[in-house]
Structure formats: C-alpha cells, structure tokens
C-alpha cells in the first residue's frame, strides 16, 4: 500500500531570493473572489457577520504532477481555499519550493499542508491501488499525455466527483479561420493527439470532467523556452532571428491566470463535461512579442532579423520557439460561462516572469545561439 507523506518545508532555493512584499509580482496579490469560484460550499454566518466556509466544503484533491510550473501556482490556490492537496510525483524534484515574492510565513504554512504520494504514473497497478486506498474527491491531471494513463486513475476512484484535465490548444486542426473556438475541428494526428484521446476517453467513461486547453503558457518557472528564448538574446545584446515576415499572430497566457481558471472550474456545474480555451486577452505578432519582451525587461528595442527557414538546415535543433503560423484561440467561453478573465496584460505578465525568474539569474535552459549564428552568418535573410 502506498504511504502518504506530509512534506517538510524545503530550504529556500539559493537561486531564488524574495522580492519585497510590495512587488506587483507577488502571487498573493492574485485577485480571487470567493463568489467567483462556484464551489459547492456550506457557509455559516457567525456572530459578527464574517462569512465562514465550513470544513465540509473542503475537498480531498490529487494533483498529478505539480512541482514544476502550473501545479506550483495551482496548489497554492487550492491550499488557500482550504482543500487537502496531495501531489503525485516520482519524487525526483523537491515537492515544494519557496517562490520569490512569497513570505516565509506563507511558504511554511503552504508546505506544512501539502501531502506527497510518490510513484510512477506509468505503473498502472500501483496508481489504481494507491488511489483506491486514499479515495480522492477531485483529480487535477496536469502532466497527463496519453489516454491509457487516465484509466487506472478512474478505475481506482469510482466515486470521483470531478476530473480536471490540462489539455492543449494544439489539438485543433490547422485552419485559415481564426481564432480557434472550442467547437472547431481537431486534428487526430497532431503531436497532442494523446490529449485529444484523453478528452474522448473521459467522455466515454461517463465521469464528470472538465478540460482546459491553454495556448502558449508563460510565467515564472516556465520550463518551455517561450519568453526565456527572447530574454537570453536581449540580455546578450544580440539580434533576434524571426522566421519569415514576423507578422505571424500568436497568443500567450500567464501561468497564474491559468491557475485561477483551474480553480474556477472546480465544483462548477457549468464546467461539467466542458472544454475551455485559456490564454491572454490579446494576440501578438512574433515581432511584437520580441518588442514586448524587451519593454517588459527594460532592454532597448531589439534588432529583428527575418529569414526564410527553408533556406537553412538546422538539423534537429529548433531555431525558433513557436510554430511558424498564425495560432490563437478565443477565450470568450471561459469569460462568459465561468466569469473568468485574465488579470495579466502581455507586457505586465512578461515583466512578472522576468522579475521573478530570468532577471534574478535563474532559467531552465542555458543560452544556445548556434542556430542564430547560422542565420546571421549567411545573407539569406529577408529584407
């Protein structure tokens, strides 16, 4: 039988130090109104008029993953809401870490309440038996990629109240008509086909599910080279190579806004068996994103070099972090149905990411300008 372990607070990561409490980047400043959360709760009105949420409203929640990026912010919100939160991970990374902008008291309180279930989600027998022994009310599946990974979770939790899945807007079929809506055609051959198959499986199993489809996610701790790719080049004072015209339109959503969306579908009847696109309010061109990163981080406006990717052989290396096409989605459904809206504008959100991460000397991948040098070393650039 699996053993549930209460997590001891980790020593602060030496590469992260705290910003002053007044920083606008403090995650504690995220606007979350209890009236927006739509959770099924029993409330009592004690003497004095303050609204109290009773213990019976708390849910026993399992997060599959939760130590790298999205789950770091989601788990904090869930704990603040009074839920019992367990992270299911392989235990290779610290279960908690103190974030810049997070006070010692807030971190200690959070870390003392997080539980950890160590295991490999590919070990289906272990997953089924350990979850069955614990009996969770809600599952947030943040790192699921294939439908078969979900089966033992559902089988181990026959009384599960809600399965909330992190899918991807990458499941949509490429189209000339944008933005993508939740009802648009999907691509069963996309590299995200496993997420699409998971959505279909959840529907076929008759569970109460909700699927969130982010576009590009950015923010502090981002392990994908999205904003970090631009920050490396800006810091080095290098030109920024952008494929083709640079007017390709894309969309980014801040991780903290994504976390609040995950909160607002919890226990929400309007979210039952529904898909929601989640991202930022505005779309941006590739050139515009390069300029926005510079503005957010306090660098001069960059030199942008356009090139034709077909004229170069980069081998297996990726010369640019975004798909070379228009790619953006409507978030109107989440706004109208959930009452959710992103709190971060693009430049403000990029500043939050820079100030809490790259600007403090931390990043996930070291700078690699080898493909840039190939591009800049040839005359095959667009003018």
């Amino acid at each position: 039988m699996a053993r549930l372990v209460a997590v001891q607070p980790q020593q602060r990561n030496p590469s992260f130090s705290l910003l002053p409490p007044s920083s606008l980047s403090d995650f504690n400043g995220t606007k979350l109104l209890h009236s927006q959360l739509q959770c099924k709760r029993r409330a009592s009105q004690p003497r004095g008029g303050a609204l109290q949420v009773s213990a019976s409203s708390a849910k026993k929640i399992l997060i599959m993953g939760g130590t790298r990026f999205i789950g770091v912010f989601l788990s904090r919100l869930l704990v603040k809401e009074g839920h019992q939160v367990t992270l299911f991970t392989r235990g290779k990374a610290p279960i908690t870490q103190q974030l810049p902008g997070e006070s010692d008291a807030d971190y200690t309180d959070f870390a003392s309440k997080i539980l950890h279930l160590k295991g490999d989600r590919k070990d289906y027998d272990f997953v089924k038996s350990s979850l069955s022994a614990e009996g969770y009310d809600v599952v947030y599946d943040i790192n699921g990629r294939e439908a078969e990974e979900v089966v033992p979770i559902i089988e181990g939790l026959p009384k599960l109240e809600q399965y909330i899945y992190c899918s991807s807007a990458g499941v949509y079929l490429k189209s000339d008509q944008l933005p993508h809506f939740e009802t648009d055609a999907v691509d069963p051959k996309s590299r995200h086909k496993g997420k699409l198959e998971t959505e279909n499986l959840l529907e076929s199993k008759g569970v109460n599910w909700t699927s969130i489809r982010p576009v590009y996610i950015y923010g502090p701790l981002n392990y994908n080279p999205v904003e970090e790719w631009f920050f490396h080049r800006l810091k080095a004072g290098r030109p920024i190579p952008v494929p083709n015209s640079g007017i390709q339109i894309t969309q980014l959503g801040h991780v903290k806004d994504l976390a609040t969306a995950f909160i607002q579908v919890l226990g929400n009847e309007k979210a039952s068996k529904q898909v929601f696109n989640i991202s930022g309010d505005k779309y941006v061109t590739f050139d515009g994103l390069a300029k926005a990163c510079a503005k957010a981080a306090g660098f001069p406006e960059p030199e942008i070099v356009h090139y034709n990717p077909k004229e170069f052989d980069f081998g297996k290396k990726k010369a640019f972090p975004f798909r070379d096409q228009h790619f953006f989605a409507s978030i109107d459904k989440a706004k109208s149905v959930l009452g959710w809206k992103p709190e971060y504008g693009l430049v403000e959100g990029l500043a939050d990411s820079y100030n809490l991460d790259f600007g403090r000397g931390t990043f996930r991948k070291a700078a690699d300008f080898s493909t840039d040098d190939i591009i800049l070393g040839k005359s095959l650039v667009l003018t």
Side-chain angles (χ1 to χ4, degrees), residues 259-326:
T260 62
F262 272 118
I263 288 289
Q264 286 181 243
V265 301
L266 175 61
N268 190 338
E269 292 181 357
K270 295 179 180 179
S272 179
K273 300 187 177 182
Q274 295 293 316
V275 173
F276 296 96
N277 295 330
I278 296 294
S279 195
D281 249 329
K282 288 192 174 183
Y283 314 136
V284 64
T285 64
F286 289 168
D287 283 4
L289 179 56
K291 295 174 184 177
C293 285
K295 183 176 181 179
F299 292 106
E301 186 168 307
E303 176 188 357
I304 298 174
V305 175
H306 297 130
Y307 64 96
N308 183 352
K310 294 181 180 179
E311 301 293 338
F312 295 87
D313 181 7
F314 301 117
K316 294 183 179 181
K317 288 192 173 182
K318 194 174 182 180
F320 193 69
F322 294 83
R323 57 184 72 189
D324 186 12
Q325 65 182 67
H326 297 306

